[in-house]
Amino acid sequence: MSVTEPEDGRLPAKEADALCRDAHRLLGDARALLGEYARARKEAEGALGALRAGLARAELGSIPVARLKDVTGGRLRLGALEGSGYATVLDVLESSPYYLQLIPGIGTRTVRQVHAAARQIAQAVEEAVRVRIDVERHDPLTTDLLIALHRLVTAGPELAGAREVAHDLDKRLGPLLADARPARGRLRMMLTRPERRRRAREALAELSNLLGRARETRLLLTQVTTDLLRPAVSEFEAWTDFEFRAPDYYGLLTELAGGFGAAGHGLLPDELIAKIDAQELDGTHRRVSLRGYQVFGARFALAQRRVILGDEMGLGKSIEAIAALAHLRAEGRTHFLVVCPTSVLINWLRELRSRSTLSVHPLHGTGRPAAEEEWVRRGGVAVVTLDSLYRLKAPRTVEVGMLVVDEAHYVKNPQTRRSTAVARWCRHAERVLFLTGTPMENRVEEFRVLVSYLQPELAASLRDSDAVAGARAFRKAVAPAYLRRNQQDVLTELPDVVRAEEWVEFSGADLAAYRQAVTAGDFMAMRRAAYASPGTSAKLKRLLELVEDARVNELKVLVFSYFRDVLASVGEALDGRAHGTISGDLAPARRQQLVDEFSDAEGHAVLLCQIQAGGVGLNLQAASVVIMCEPQVKPTAEAQAVARAHRMGQVRKVQVHRLLAVDSVDQRMLDILGSKEQLFDAYARRSDLAESSADAVDVSEQELARRIVEEERRRLAVRRG
């Protein structure tokens, strides 16, 4: 309700009373939401506590009683205890000191020590227990938790904003209504002291102003409260909804459990963490709820201004970038630029439109000139491909609030046209955010190049000894410009990856093709020789067995190969039942269409992907079985491909099957590439100490091919063709 005050600033008592009643109703709406949220949260916390207690109890029931010695330095004598049937720590905790003292050979002091040690272990277990929801096992405690969480998830990303508004109204309206009380009656106002009358008139004016802008606020509070008041859903509805919206459920679990922990800080120093935590993050233009580590990532990008966000694939780097863009828009910035490979252009357009209120302009295709003109004139987010960025000139009238470069490792070679274009735009933009899950593939020097685009002075200060000293020293040196978190550290809910090496023997025809390729020195022909005769191929036979097993269990399958002819053979063997093939020359819209058809297919489905194309920029968590037709030259290629399925939103164990032929190029590749994989883990993934610099163990593709061909020629005693 909005009123117009008389010229003397005095509002008639009748109108003042109506205004206060309207304010009371708004205050009631705010408190109703806060009350319903508190009730729903308490219910969820109770269900989570019960589940954690159950998991902790199961864990304690598997810890042998002998472990009590570890806590007391080995001083306890537990023979009598074990001899009386106390086998686990849980047995001790469930027994009272009175009964323990009845055991011959155990005194009062020992009983106290045993119970203290058991409680210490129990506390450690309760703190460390992880909640993972297994969609194949609908146990009662997990079901209760999902039903309790459903109410909060249904309220959606608007819940956080509605709570903030409700808290603000609760804080402001109460005192204003108290101050305005005398003005609700003419006689009461007359009998009130002048200073009190002045405060009452000021309070009425503020209430009138506040209520005049409250229409959208009322709608938001009512909508969210209605969602929180929904009746509890059935077990079936809760589990079904969880499969569709697992990230939302796990985001709430993280919040209920008290945050994301130190792992979400990515090994940054304490003083930098404090600076980032102090950075505001406005969510006005955002349409997505963030996890704690994602909030930290967005704040890092804003606080440090020109950085690399190197989170492992599957953690939602694009969401963190969108959160940063939305904040800058709320601060008044108008123009933003996202640069990405062609393969993920469609993904970016969809994410920006669904996750934010920002206007989006794809600078691609025949409509590019008009879209560019519209972006310059109206502002918003322009999305352009890496290979066409060089055509985009920086208008003098446009100040780019943030430049986002996705898959930034594609510009690690400063001599290429795409790298030159990115460097030019980096100089033009106020803030720059590089996104890459693989900031260095083979050489630490390549990472230095990326930093040079952002903070040249930092890149110049990096010493070779920083890398030689190990991953932690290197990460400390680049902390002002680099943040990386790993799935296993911040996505503790992710189901396991189960890896299986499927070894087979060449068929006669495939062996003949393999020997011919070795003789000719044709490395690529050696890699795909196992599929030379599809009718007798042992690898293809095993692949079909794996696909059939997935069909019986209604699981979706991704099949990756470097070679299009191998995927063609797989497609023929599947009698046209597979989706795809996704390859590098496929138009982005068609790629996304194939992914959507595969993801939306009911039950079992198979998608064929060239690993160079399917391993980058696609969200394929609908699949839980991954088949590699052959090992890859770059360890990161396989890691990227697997991460397309094993990412946030995955609710099933991901099975990764690598098809390998004995006594072949496959075995040689695994032996040689082992060192490269360890390097990648040390510097880019786990941040454990590395034994030497990256250059010491680098193996180029050409060198690897030459070594393997020579080794196989010697083993097979064949001459050069």
Side-chain angles (χ1 to χ4, degrees):
M1 176 181 178
S2 180
V3 297
T4 303
E5 294 187 43
E7 291 184 5
D8 63 358
R10 298 179 181 180
L11 191 66
K14 186 176 181 180
E15 292 187 28
D17 185 60
L19 180 68
C20 289
R21 285 201 305 271
D22 197 23
H24 268 294
R25 284 192 292 270
L26 183 59
L27 179 59
D29 290 343
R31 288 176 173 172
L33 184 144
L34 294 174
E36 289 304 320
Y37 170 74
R39 183 179 62 81
R41 182 182 175 105
K42 183 177 180 181
E43 184 179 337
E45 287 174 338
L48 176 60
L51 178 56
R52 287 177 62 89
L55 293 172
R57 178 183 172 83
E59 179 72 15
L60 291 168
S62 67
I63 299 175
V65 74
R67 292 294 302 276
L68 296 174
K69 290 182 179 180
D70 298 341
V71 180
T72 60
R75 296 189 302 272
L76 286 177
R77 295 181 179 180
L78 302 173
L81 195 65
E82 293 172 311
S84 299
Y86 290 84
T88 70
V89 173
L90 182 62
D91 293 337
V92 174
L93 288 169
E94 291 188 333
S95 179
S96 70
Y98 173 78
Y99 285 107
L100 290 178
Q101 290 182 60
L102 298 179
I103 300 173
I106 295 185
T108 303
R109 181 181 177 186
T110 301
V111 168
R112 285 199 303 268
Q113 290 176 329
V114 164
H115 255 280
R119 287 194 299 271
Q120 189 173 339
I121 291 176
Q123 182 179 352
V125 168
E126 288 169 5
E127 291 173 354
V129 70
R130 291 181 174 183
V131 174
R132 287 184 177 177
I133 299 174
D134 185 353
V135 295
E136 308 296 339
R137 183 172 172 267
H138 295 190
D139 63 278
L141 288 177
T142 305
T143 298
D144 290 344
L145 175 61
L146 292 183
I147 291 173
L149 289 174
H150 181 270
R151 215 179 252 112
L152 294 168
V153 170
T154 301
E158 292 82 10
L159 175 58
R163 284 168 48 210
E164 187 174 335
V165 168
H167 276 298
D168 183 61
L169 290 174
D170 188 35
K171 181 179 179 181
R172 295 174 61 188
L173 286 177
L176 287 174
L177 285 167
D179 284 345
R181 188 177 297 116
R184 301 182 69 175
R186 184 169 174 271
L187 181 59
R188 182 188 301 174
M189 192 67 162
M190 290 174 59
L191 296 175
T192 301
R193 292 179 180 178
E195 176 60 22
R196 185 80 172 83
R197 288 200 297 270
R198 182 189 62 78
R199 291 208 317 268
R201 286 193 290 270
E202 289 176 351
L204 286 175
E206 193 170 342
L207 285 173
S208 178
N209 183 50
L210 192 154
L211 291 171
R213 308 190 310 268
R215 183 175 179 276
E216 291 185 1
T217 299
R218 293 179 192 274
L219 291 174
L220 175 64
L221 295 176
T222 301
Q223 174 192 330
V224 174
T225 303
T226 300
D227 288 333
L228 291 173
L229 283 168
R230 292 177 186 273
V233 294
S234 67
E235 174 181 342
F236 174 79
E237 289 173 303
W239 281 99
T240 301
D241 192 59
F242 169 73
E243 290 204 41
F244 278 103
R245 297 193 286 183
D248 295 334
Y249 281 83
Y250 276 121
L252 271 173
L253 280 177
T254 301
E255 181 184 336
L256 293 175
F260 54 87
H265 295 145
L267 300 181
L268 297 183
D270 291 343
E271 63 273 14
L272 185 53
I273 292 171
K275 176 185 176 183
I276 294 163
D277 284 340
Q279 168 68 48
E280 295 291 330
L281 186 63
D282 193 305
T284 303
H285 296 282
R286 194 176 69 231
R287 287 178 176 162
V288 60
S289 297
L290 302 181
R291 298 192 177 200
Y293 74 86
Q294 291 174 325
V295 170
F296 187 83
R299 285 175 171 165
F300 173 77
L302 294 167
Q304 295 300 97
R305 304 178 75 86
R306 303 171 69 86
V307 296
I308 299 172
L309 184 57
D311 286 347
E312 190 174 12
M313 284 172 293
L315 294 184
K317 292 187 290 295
S318 61
I319 300 298
E320 295 172 71
I322 290 170
L325 296 176
H327 172 87
L328 292 172
R329 179 66 188 89
E331 281 195 340
R333 309 301 198 281
T334 56
H335 291 74
F336 310 98
L337 181 62
V338 171
V339 184
C340 62
T342 306
S343 60
V344 297
L345 178 72
I346 301 297
N347 268 5
W348 267 103
L349 298 177
R350 293 171 67 163
E351 289 282 279
L352 283 163
R353 286 166 177 156
S354 63
R355 309 292 194 180
S356 76
T357 64
L358 304 174
S359 58
V360 184
H361 309 277
L363 308 189
H364 189 70
T366 56
R368 176 183 176 129
E372 185 175 337
E373 182 181 339
E374 183 78 354
W375 174 60
V376 172
R377 185 170 60 87
R378 294 183 52 202
V381 186
V383 185
V384 63
T385 66
L386 275 166
D387 290 326
S388 64
L389 178 64
Y390 74 95
R391 298 196 194 102
L392 183 63
K393 306 305 178 185
R396 292 183 178 180
T397 57
V398 170
E399 180 180 333
V400 177
M402 176 173 275
L403 165 67
V404 177
V405 181
D406 194 15
E407 305 291 354
H409 50 279
Y410 285 167
V411 296
K412 62 192 175 188
N413 181 355
Q415 307 304 319
T416 62
R417 185 169 64 183
R418 63 169 58 151
S419 298
T420 302
V422 166
R424 173 169 55 87
W425 274 95
C426 283
R427 292 191 293 270
H428 185 74
E430 179 183 359
R431 286 180 169 85
V432 183
L433 175 58
F434 280 5
L435 307 177
T436 172
T438 54
M440 51 138 290
E441 291 181 294
N442 292 323
R443 298 169 185 251
V444 173
E445 178 58 33
E446 293 168 356
F447 181 71
R448 193 198 309 260
V449 171
L450 296 185
V451 176
S452 71
Y453 295 124
L454 307 170
Q455 300 184 29
E457 66 287 353
L458 176 62
S461 71
L462 295 179
R463 303 162 300 179
D464 291 337
S465 59
D466 291 326
V468 174
R472 288 186 179 274
F474 184 79
R475 293 279 291 277
K476 182 178 180 181
V478 300
Y482 178 54
L483 174 67
R484 180 178 177 84
R485 282 79 57 88
N486 304 315
Q487 280 190 357
Q488 68 188 66
D489 294 329
V490 295
L491 284 191
T492 56
E493 77 275 5
L494 271 182
D496 296 330
V497 174
V498 181
R499 302 180 185 271
E501 295 190 343
E502 308 283 350
W503 289 96
V504 301
E505 293 185 346
F506 280 131
S507 67
D510 291 340
L511 180 57
Y514 184 72
R515 291 183 67 91
Q516 183 179 352
V518 173
T519 302
D522 189 336
F523 179 63
M524 292 302 188
M526 290 165 59
R527 292 182 64 198
R528 62 181 185 270
Y531 301 92
S533 179
T536 59
S537 169
K539 275 195 178 184
L540 190 53
K541 179 182 178 182
R542 180 58 184 145
L543 184 148
L544 294 176
E545 291 172 349
L546 294 170
V547 170
E548 175 60 19
D549 184 61
R551 185 193 67 78
V552 172
N553 290 283
E554 296 189 336
L555 301 177
K556 286 185 167 63
V557 183
L558 301 177
V559 178
F560 286 104
S561 177
Y562 185 87
F563 305 101
R564 296 183 69 168
D565 56 350
V566 169
L567 292 171
S569 296
V570 174
E572 290 178 13
L574 290 170
D575 299 324
R577 290 183 288 121
H579 297 262
T581 300
I582 288 181
S583 57
D585 59 357
L586 206 61
R590 177 57 180 158
R591 282 165 54 98
Q592 192 59 53
Q593 181 185 355
L594 288 173
V595 171
D596 290 343
E597 290 173 354
F598 169 74
S599 299
D600 294 341
E602 187 173 346
H604 169 72
V606 180
L607 179 63
L608 307 180
C609 306
Q610 248 190 312
I611 200 162
Q612 309 94 299
V616 176
L618 297 178
N619 299 328
L620 296 165
Q621 61 265 40
S624 56
V625 178
V626 178
I627 299 176
M628 298 286 175
C629 290
E630 71 284 323
Q632 304 304 312
V633 173
K634 290 185 177 181
T636 51
E638 282 194 22
Q640 287 174 340
V642 172
R644 293 303 156 200
H646 192 246
R647 62 192 296 120
M648 186 164 47
Q650 180 59 261
V651 295
R652 289 184 170 83
K653 285 185 179 180
V654 176
Q655 306 171 39
V656 179
H657 300 270
R658 186 192 255 174
L659 300 175
L660 304 165
V662 297
D663 295 328
S664 74
V665 60
D666 295 349
Q667 180 62 63
R668 308 296 167 262
M669 286 181 68
L670 296 187
D671 293 342
I672 293 174
L673 292 176
S675 60
K676 288 180 71 177
E677 207 163 333
Q678 292 169 3
L679 171 74
F680 176 74
D681 281 348
Y683 278 88
R685 173 191 263 286
R686 294 303 311 134
S687 301
D688 295 324
L689 290 177
E691 297 300 324
S692 60
S693 72
D695 294 340
V697 292
D698 178 43
V699 182
S700 70
E701 186 170 343
Q702 184 177 3
E703 173 62 14
L704 181 139
R706 185 193 65 76
R707 285 172 58 179
I708 290 177
V709 168
E710 291 301 321
E711 288 180 11
E712 286 298 275
R713 279 177 171 162
R714 286 195 297 271
R715 186 180 67 82
L716 296 175
V718 299
R719 297 181 179 180
R720 297 175 185 272

